[in-house]
Every structure is written in C-alpha cells, then in structure tokens.
Amino acid sequence: MQLKNLTLAALVGAASAQQMMNLTATLASNNATSNLTTFFGLFPELTRTLDNAQNITLLAPSNEAIGALLEAQPELQQETDLLRAVLQYHVLNGTYLSSAITNTSTFVPTLLTNQSYTNVTGGQVVQAVNVGGNVTFYSGLLQNVSVVQPDVNFTGGVIHVIDGLLTVPVNVSETALAAGLTSLVGALNNTQLVGAVNGLSNVTIFAPNNAAFQNIGSAVANLSTEELATILRYHVVVGQSPLYSSTLENGTTVTTLGGEDLTITLINGSVFVNSAEVATPDVLVAGGVVHVIDNVLNPQMSMAPNASATTGAPAFSGATSASEAPFTSGVATPTTTINPSEAGAGAASSTSSALGVAMKTGAVGAAALFGAGAALLNY
Ligand SMILES: *[C@@H]1O[C@H](CO)[C@@H](O)[C@H](O)[C@H]1NC(C)=O
Ligand SMILES: *[C@@H]1O[C@H](CO)[C@@H](O)[C@H](O)[C@H]1NC(C)=O
Ligand SMILES: *[C@@H]1O[C@H](CO)[C@@H](O)[C@H](O)[C@H]1NC(C)=O
Ligand SMILES: *[C@@H]1O[C@H](CO)[C@@H](O)[C@H](O)[C@H]1NC(C)=O
Ligand SMILES: *[C@@H]1O[C@H](CO)[C@@H](O)[C@H](O)[C@H]1NC(C)=O
Ligand SMILES: *[C@@H]1O[C@H](CO)[C@@H](O)[C@H](O)[C@H]1NC(C)=O
Ligand SMILES: *[C@@H]1O[C@H](CO)[C@@H](O)[C@H](O)[C@H]1NC(C)=O
Ligand SMILES: *[C@@H]1O[C@H](CO)[C@@H](O)[C@H](O)[C@H]1NC(C)=O
Ligand SMILES: *[C@@H]1O[C@H](CO)[C@@H](O)[C@H](O)[C@H]1NC(C)=O
Ligand SMILES: *[C@@H]1O[C@H](CO)[C@@H](O)[C@H](O)[C@H]1NC(C)=O
Ligand SMILES: *[C@@H]1O[C@H](CO)[C@@H](O)[C@H](O)[C@H]1NC(C)=O
Ligand SMILES: *[C@@H]1O[C@H](CO)[C@@H](O)[C@H](O)[C@H]1NC(C)=O
C-alpha cells in the first residue's frame, strides 16, 4: 500500500517535472511567445543566466507585440545595450503568480540594475496591479501592459504573456516634459538643477503641475535664483527607498533635500503632501518616482490640509495668479509625450516612447498629468 502510493507519487512527480521546461524551451514551445526567443538569441549570456535562474517572473511580450515593435523600429535590433536593459526590465525578482497581484499596487524590483538606465537601488521597479480583473503592469511614462496569458510555469518561476512592451523609465526632466510639466522643467533649468535632479538615486519628487505654478504667479515672479532653488529642493526627497504611493502612510514626515520636512496626510482616499494634493501618483523615473501635485510647496509655510479637503490649497498666502504658466518660455516641445487623447482608451498608441517602443498610454491619470500643461504646448 505504502509502496504503491509512493510509486504513484513518484510517477506523478516525474510526469510534472518532465512537463516543466526551462525558460527558453518554454517560450519556444508556446505559440504566443515563440518569436521572443529571437530576441533572447541576441543575448546568449543573459539567456544562460535566465535559464539557470530560480525564483523569477518573466513578463513576456507576445509575438504580436514583438512584431509591432520590430515593424515600427527595425533599427532597435542593433541597439543591444538598450535591448538588454529592456529585457532585464521584463524580469521580476521573485515568483509572482497572477493571483498575487491584487487591486492594491505593489512596486516589484526587476533585474534592471545597470546604472546607465536606472539609479534605483535593488533594481528598477514595475507597478503591478489588478485593474477590474486585468493584471496590469505600469512602467515608465505611465505606459501599461495587460497580461493576456497568465501563469505559464517553467523551471525557474513563472511567465506572464503581455500585450506590449514595458518602457524603461527615463529621467526626471524628460518625464516632466512628456507630462506637460513645463513650468517645473523651466524652473529647474533656470536654477541649473536639471543635471543634479536627473542624477539623483532613490529619489522621490513631488512635481507641481503648471496650474500650481500659475496660481501663485505673483509669488514666483520676483524670486531670486537661490530662492527658487530653495523652493524646488523642498519638493525632493532622497536617502531612502523611493516613496511609491504604497509606502505613503498617514502622518509620515519626510525630510527634503533642503533639510525641511514634508508631512503626508491621507484624506478620503486622497494623498496630500502638506496642503498640496497628489493629482497623479507613481510616475516611474530612472532614479525613482514622481508624484504630480496640484500646488507648489513652500518651505516657509508647511501647512496641513483641511480635514475635509477635496483639493489642495496654496501655500503662498496672498499670491495671485499669472496670465501664463511661469518659466515656460523657451522650454522645448517634448519629443515624447504621454498622449492625453489615449487616456483611458486602452488602445494601442502610435506614440513612441524615448526607447522607440510603441506602447499603450496609462489609463490612470494621464489626463490629470497633462492638466493645464497640454494647452500651453503646440504639439
Ligand atoms: C533548456 O532546455 C532545452 C531543451 O530541453 C535545452 O536544449 C537547453 O540546453 C536548456 N538550457 C539550459 C541552459 O539548460
Ligand atoms: C501552435 O502552432 C502549431 C503550428 O502552427 C499548431 O500545430 C498548434 O496547434 C498550435 N498550438 C496551440 C496550442 O495553439
Ligand atoms: C513571428 O516570426 C515569424 C518569423 O520571423 C514571422 O513570420 C511571424 O509573422 C511572427 N509572428 C508575429 C505574430 O509577428
Ligand atoms: C533579488 O532580491 C533579493 C532580495 O530580495 C536579492 O538578494 C537578490 O540579489 C536579487 N536578485 C537579483 C538577481 O537581483
Ligand atoms: C523569491 O524571491 C522573493 C523576492 O525577492 C523572496 O521574497 C522569496 O523569499 C524568494 N523565494 C525563494 C523560494 O527563494
Ligand atoms: C479590492 O479587492 C478587495 C478584495 O478582493 C475587494 O474587497 C475590494 O472591493 C476591491 N476594491 C476595489 C476598489 O476594487
Ligand atoms: C480588461 O481587458 C479586456 C481585454 O483587453 C478589456 O476588454 C477590458 O475593457 C479590460 N477591463 C478593464 C477594467 O480595463
Ligand atoms: C503554475 O503553477 C501554479 C502553482 O504553482 C498553478 O496555480 C498554475 O495553475 C500553474 N499554471 C499552469 C498553466 O499550469
Ligand atoms: C545615475 O546617476 C549617475 C550619477 O549621478 C548619472 O551619471 C547617471 O546618468 C544616472 N543614470 C540615469 C539612468 O539617469
Ligand atoms: C538607495 O536606497 C537604499 C535603501 O533602499 C540605500 O541602501 C542605498 O544606499 C541608497 N543609495 C543611494 C545612492 O542613495
Ligand atoms: C490621517 O490623519 C488625520 C489627522 O492628522 C485624520 O484627520 C485623518 O482621518 C487620517 N486619515 C486616515 C485615512 O486615517
Ligand atoms: C536654461 O537656462 C539657461 C541659463 O542657465 C538659459 O540660457 C536658457 O535660455 C534656459 N532655457 C530654457 C529652455 O529655459
């Protein structure tokens, strides 16, 4: 009896072990992903590493997604450094079955650690969340993909087939420009902080939208360069892991680059930073994360929000609005955009990211990201 059971168990074990293949064999044998092996063929070392890796999750672009990419950007096949980084960004550190991805966002580290592409310690992240039953991953510039075939098991973990490619997050200034945050980009340029901000590691940036700057136009009109720089530094947090929305707890205080603190408050599902409301959370950037906010923060006036606040409040008392968004004169038209017309549509977009990867646009918040900015730019 015992022997019989043991033999049966051993047989079952052997059968399932036989079915379980390594990564490349699994991809090649799956009709949805067979063409991905061509990509992997360009990186024999990485492929060997992944074939032998344990406890990983591959987000595998479908044959259709790969085909669309190569049609749009055939020259990408020559950009091996970039492609290697893109592949690494599609590998999550850990085995995440689709059932583990819930309607609460998690920020999962990938194998992308190359400092030419990321300054997030422990690996650049993707945002994983279940949106109305669809397992969804957000990447740079809020570009998102959906899982079309979940939970394909292989010897080292699990594969989810996705309907597009993830976008490796780009730097703060490119992201801000693509999001229409031209006042912020102009202000960073005028204070010569662009290079410094783009080079920060593990950074969290609370990025005021154009309306935020415009609303306090009289207060920013006559600031000295140093005064403006002091205000901008009050929007930047470093020295700890990036503060993704999932880590923002009620009452948390965080210390900014200038040394002054900011206070996080949660009210009715909204997140406030001092008295400013987060309009669009979790825009991933090369060095960390950007949260777009609806007011400019003031280090000399760290106000709490009203307990019943439904929107942010200005922190510059007596300031009046300007007729145009400040600091925008001469700011370049973005070469890449988060296209508001696609927002919520979930449709494939012709918009190219900085990586030349045709992608869908973020269904969440892209319109809010644009806000007043879109009207000021002539795309
Ligand atoms: C993966 O499996 C295939 C097919 O069994 C085999 O040819 C290949 O050598 C394996 N790769 C590694 C790294 O073991
Ligand atoms: C995969 O494609 C092959 C060849 O086109 C076909 O014979 C096979 O039925 C397909 N398998 C599935 C699961 O669609
Ligand atoms: C997969 O690759 C083959 C060979 O290059 C190609 O003929 C086919 O169209 C590709 N499939 C898709 C869906 O793009
Ligand atoms: C995966 O994460 C663990 C910590 O959770 C870390 O020790 C390990 O080095 C990471 N693996 C890779 C390949 O980055
Ligand atoms: C798999 O990776 C995750 C994330 O790094 C880690 O928490 C977990 O302990 C690992 N599991 C195994 C069995 O190594
Ligand atoms: C999120 O999931 C939980 C548990 O499945 C459920 O109770 C809750 O209603 C969901 N929330 C939303 C906003 O879908
Ligand atoms: C889920 O995905 C399906 C297929 O792509 C789509 O039709 C549906 O609208 C999506 N649902 C949500 C809530 O995004
Ligand atoms: C992969 O394994 C998990 C559990 O480890 C299981 O729930 C899932 O059904 C498996 N996937 C397939 C396609 O068999
Ligand atoms: C990472 O930081 C270094 C040093 O500041 C910088 O040179 C590099 O450009 C940054 N990497 C990215 C992807 O922004
Ligand atoms: C990034 O943050 C981690 C903590 O998550 C820390 O250990 C590391 O030293 C930081 N790196 C830099 C360059 O700030
Ligand atoms: C957060 O704290 C404030 C008091 O500082 C309180 O009014 C508010 O209800 C708290 N929010 C949550 C979600 O607990
Ligand atoms: C950026 O700042 C420099 C001075 O540091 C100035 O010459 C240039 O016009 C500014 N460019 C933009 C787009 O604001």
Side-chain angles (χ1 to χ4, degrees), residues 3-360:
L3 184 66
K4 198 176 158 192
N5 278 348
L6 196 74
T7 311
L8 194 60
L11 275 175
V12 169
S16 51
Q18 225 171 30
Q19 282 165 3
M20 195 90 95
M21 293 177 283
N22 66 28
L23 184 64
T24 39
T26 306
L27 291 174
S29 70
N30 184 328
N31 280 6
T33 57
S34 46
N35 284 7
L36 189 58
T37 51
T38 314
F39 261 64
F40 277 102
L42 296 171
F43 309 102
E45 265 170 77
L46 178 61
T47 306
R48 261 193 305 279
T49 307
L50 294 180
D51 262 339
N52 292 318
Q54 288 302 311
N55 199 14
I56 59 174
T57 300
L58 175 70
L59 304 181
S62 67
N63 287 347
E64 281 75 15
I66 297 284
L69 172 69
L70 293 182
E71 194 184 343
Q73 307 276 316
E75 72 281 3
L76 210 56
Q77 284 171 93
Q78 267 72 58
E79 300 197 38
T80 44
D81 283 353
L82 175 59
L83 275 186
R84 184 183 296 106
V86 168
L87 277 182
Q88 288 167 334
Y89 190 49
H90 284 75
V91 187
L92 314 186
N93 184 352
T95 305
Y96 297 90
L97 290 171
S98 61
S99 56
I101 295 164
T102 68
N103 61 14
T104 303
S105 284
T106 53
F107 295 84
V108 183
T110 69
L111 299 196
L112 178 60
T113 54
N114 180 342
Q115 286 188 2
S116 301
Y117 296 96
T118 183
N119 277 316
V120 176
T121 305
Q124 182 56 278
V125 303
V126 294
Q127 177 182 3
V129 61
N130 185 317
V131 181
N134 293 339
V135 176
T136 308
F137 295 95
Y138 284 86
S139 56
L141 299 175
L142 288 185
Q143 303 299 292
N144 67 90
V145 299
S146 299
V147 169
V148 291
Q149 186 185 357
D151 301 322
V152 180
N153 298 313
F154 72 103
T155 48
V158 69
I159 297 167
H160 303 304
V161 182
I162 54 177
D163 62 355
L165 269 88
L166 302 170
T167 297
V168 174
V170 296
N171 68 29
V172 174
S173 55
E174 280 178 61
T175 301
L177 208 52
L181 305 177
T182 46
S183 284
L184 178 62
V185 172
L188 288 170
N189 178 65
N190 291 358
T191 50
Q192 300 187 318
L193 286 172
V194 173
V197 164
N198 284 342
L200 292 171
S201 300
N202 303 333
V203 67
T204 305
I205 303 208
F206 296 101
N209 59 22
N210 279 14
F213 280 101
Q214 189 169 351
N215 287 343
I216 56 156
S218 67
V220 294
N222 298 314
L223 292 175
S224 71
T225 304
E226 195 38 52
E227 286 166 337
L228 179 57
T230 299
I231 289 172
L232 292 174
R233 286 190 200 98
Y234 191 51
H235 293 72
V236 181
V237 177
V238 292
Q240 54 187 300
S241 297
L243 299 167
Y244 305 108
S245 61
S246 58
T247 67
L248 296 175
E249 286 171 11
N250 205 21
T252 308
T253 60
V254 290
T255 304
T256 62
L257 265 191
E260 307 94 349
D261 286 352
L262 294 171
T263 303
I264 306 297
T265 309
L266 307 186
I267 299 173
N268 291 329
S270 296
V271 178
F272 289 81
V273 187
N274 289 352
S275 65
E277 185 179 3
V278 173
T280 306
D282 299 317
V283 187
L284 303 176
V285 293
V289 67
V290 167
H291 304 295
V292 180
I293 56 177
D294 69 352
N295 276 280
V296 179
L297 304 169
N298 183 354
Q300 289 172 7
M301 197 171 172
S302 97
M303 292 165 51
N306 192 305
S308 58
T310 53
T311 170
F316 292 78
S317 57
T320 56
S321 74
S323 59
E324 286 176 33
F327 312 122
T328 54
S329 134
V331 174
T333 302
T335 53
T336 64
T337 61
I338 298 174
N339 188 341
S341 69
E342 309 277 358
S349 155
S350 60
T351 304
S352 288
S353 79
L355 301 178
V357 177
M359 282 293 309
K360 294 193 303 183

